[in-house]
Amino acid sequence: RKRLAIRANVGGTHRVAFTPGGDVLATAGDDRTVALFDAGSGNPTGPERLTGSTGAMLDVDFSGGDGGGAGSVLMVLGAGTDRAVRLWDATTGRTR
């Protein structure tokens, strides 16, 4: 039974990852972006599109955000066909 359908990336989505709490999901796709969505509603969330890749994004995951103080900002990691791994702040969308 389908619970939620999200049109995430133009051309195809290669990977989906959930935050540790399961409230946000990220998709990596052919459109060179990582997209963020509210896992309950499917609505775009946060900076919505994380950009900077010159090739398709193949993988995505989350790191941090465990409530451990100022140093535990939720980060999004993405790897693409441009042979780069990018690290974005999930709240601001800025790369690190």
Side-chain angles (χ1 to χ4, degrees):
R1 169 176 131 198
K2 181 171 39 171
R3 293 185 177 199
L4 189 62
I6 298 173
R7 293 207 178 268
N9 302 92
V10 176
T13 298
H14 295 283
R15 184 81 63 197
V16 175
F18 287 87
T19 55
D23 55 334
V24 175
L25 67 91
T27 65
D30 283 338
D31 59 1
R32 303 182 203 171
T33 69
V34 168
L36 301 176
F37 299 91
D38 178 280
S41 68
N43 293 326
T45 188
E48 188 177 344
R49 296 279 172 184
L50 304 176
T51 61
S53 178
T54 59
M57 295 302 294
L58 299 178
D59 204 358
V60 65
D61 205 352
F62 289 95
S63 177
D66 57 7
S72 64
V73 173
L74 182 64
M75 303 301 292
V76 181
L77 299 106
T81 58
D82 61 356
R83 298 181 181 181
V85 175
R86 288 177 176 76
L87 184 64
W88 293 275
D89 181 310
T91 303
T92 65
R94 291 189 186 117
T95 55
R96 293 237 174 158

